[in-house]
Amino acid sequence: MRALVLHPVRSRDGHRSPQDALGEAVSLARALDLDVVGADVVPLAKARAGMLFGKGKVEELGARIAELEAGLVIVDGALSPVQQRNLERVWKVKLLDRTGLILEIFGDRAQTREGVLQVELAHLSYQKSRLVRSWTHLERQRGGFGFLGGPGETQIEADRRALDERIQRIKEQLKRVVRTRGEHRRARQRVPYPVVALVGYTNAGKSTLFNRLTGSGVLAKDMLFATLDPTMRAIALPDGRRAILSDTVGFISDLPTQLVAAFRATLEEVLEADLILHVRDIAHPETEVQAESVRATLADLGVGAEAPVVEVWNKVDLLDPESAETARAVAARSPEVRVISALTGEGTLALMRAVADDLAEPTTEETVHVVYGDGRRRAWLFDHKVVRAEHATDDGYDLDVRWTDRDRSRWLALGEKASD
């Protein structure tokens, strides 16, 4: 479909560049495989209650829409239901605001059962707020029930009631999905690996980094919201220990309120992570604005200061040599910053060493006994590099080990499984 993208900007909107904001909106549109035939920044002195823009600007934009033969107009901002209805009527096109566009992308990309349900719930909540459009069938009334009949209910009330019922059903289904995921999390905690969560602005390169560190084939494209559903894989740390790496959906500025709940559900692994890697596109002209959006969203989702956060400055290969050296110098002075290129691999080994150091726990030394027939538990100790010395006895081995409480719990769990 041929689409025109409009980014309304007011003189007091100074937190980001209008052209960069327009470029992001165009990228969002192209993420839906739309044919973007035009993109304009539209100055907005004052938001009009009826149609957002003034009468002259509405006519001017209508002429441009006709000239481009656009069938869809995307307004990169929030539109009230009345504004959307009036503009569609005047321009005779389909209209999407920023929230509607992001919801369409999420609906197109969600793969897991939970993702599909969360997106449908967000869609329904959005639609419910827009049941004020003056379609003819919404103005009719149904007859009342009972002896007196009563005034009946309007079609809009019936539609809203149907949406409420569907929303309630989805919430019940989501409760079951969340319970299942909780059981999976408890199962992982019985063999407790530390969790490292990747977060960041959409298209910052999280999935590319995830693939490099895990050898996975998660979709990684130069596209906003290329991946939605969280993915988890086990990784080996340089010190021999293992951890779980979680790749999450990318954040974005002005996140629709209907999707905040969906983010909260899909980011539960972040809430319980032992370490958070905030992946940033350091080559992007608005990298600081993007980083602030991520921090604000994490705060809205209830991610506190319990888990340490390391900033991973990605895409250093796209910087000019002088800027790249400056970034590396900053990282050399700050243990909370790492400079990498997920594409070329630069800095990823140093990043993993830093992750291992951050996840290091206090260790204790003790001697454990393993009988000759229990080769699995003996091999586990050597595989995890906790053995300091080994001595043969009449019925097995005494092994001097240095390990963490987490290692000890996992090793003891192997013995419990063997006895089941």
Side-chain angles (χ1 to χ4, degrees), residues 311-329:
E311 286 202 355
V312 181
W313 291 4
N314 188 27
K315 303 189 182 183
V316 68
D317 54 300
L318 299 182
L319 292 176
D320 62 77
E322 183 178 350
S323 298
E325 284 307 311
T326 300
R328 295 186 185 101

Side-chain angles (χ1 to χ4, degrees), residues 98 194 201 217 297 343 350 372 413:
R98 184 179 178 86
Y201 207 80
T297 303
L343 187 64
Y372 284 122

Side-chain angles (χ1 to χ4, degrees), residues 38-249:
D40 299 323
V41 172
V42 184
L44 188 65
K46 177 183 178 182
R48 311 285 175 157
M51 287 192 286
L52 183 64
F53 308 106
K55 181 179 179 181
K57 183 60 69 174
V58 169
E59 293 175 354
E60 177 186 331
L61 291 172
R64 178 151 170 75
I65 293 166
E67 175 190 354
L68 295 173
E69 297 180 349
L72 172 67
V73 173
I74 294 168
V75 177
D76 185 34
L79 287 177
S80 72
V82 171
Q83 290 169 340
Q84 182 173 348
R85 177 198 68 203
N86 290 340
L87 288 173
E88 284 183 338
R89 186 174 58 196
V90 172
W91 289 340
K92 296 180 174 55
V93 294
K94 172 65 179 174
L95 205 69
L96 280 177
D97 65 359
R98 184 179 178 86
T99 297
L101 178 61
I102 295 176
L103 286 171
E104 288 293 330
I105 295 171
F106 272 54
D108 188 55
R109 302 284 167 74
Q111 298 293 326
T112 65
R113 176 63 174 160
E114 180 180 5
V116 171
L117 287 172
Q118 288 286 5
V119 172
E120 185 178 357
L121 181 60
H123 262 293
L124 291 172
S125 299
Y126 179 69
Q127 291 170 18
K128 182 181 175 183
S129 71
R130 285 169 140 62
L131 284 183
V132 297
R133 309 173 105 175
S134 297
W135 293 321
T136 303
H137 80 280
L138 296 182
E139 298 170 349
R140 294 197 303 265
Q141 285 193 331
R142 291 180 175 179
F145 297 96
F147 293 108
L148 299 178
E153 71 175 348
T154 62
Q155 183 65 46
I156 192 171
E157 291 169 343
D159 288 355
R160 184 173 286 116
R161 181 166 48 79
L163 282 174
D164 285 336
E165 292 172 355
R166 178 59 183 155
I167 287 171
Q168 189 57 42
R169 286 197 298 271
I170 292 176
K171 287 181 176 179
E172 292 299 323
Q173 290 175 289
L174 278 170
K175 286 180 183 178
R176 292 193 289 270
V177 173
V178 169
R179 279 197 297 269
T180 300
R181 190 175 61 245
E183 292 170 1
H184 292 165
R185 183 179 294 108
R186 285 190 292 275
R188 285 198 306 273
Q189 289 171 345
R190 285 195 289 270
V191 185
Y193 293 118
V195 174
V196 180
L198 299 178
V199 302
Y201 207 80
T202 183
N203 212 31
K206 298 187 312 308
S207 294
T208 302
L209 178 59
F210 184 85
N211 289 340
R212 177 168 288 277
L213 298 181
T214 65
S216 300
V218 171
L219 177 64
K221 296 178 66 177
D222 184 18
M223 176 191 298
L224 300 186
F225 297 120
T227 53
L228 277 186
D229 296 303
T231 307
M232 307 185 75
R233 296 285 188 278
I235 57 172
L237 299 175
D239 60 4
R241 292 179 297 140
R242 295 176 73 79
I244 293 174
L245 186 65
S246 174
D247 184 21
T248 59
V249 62

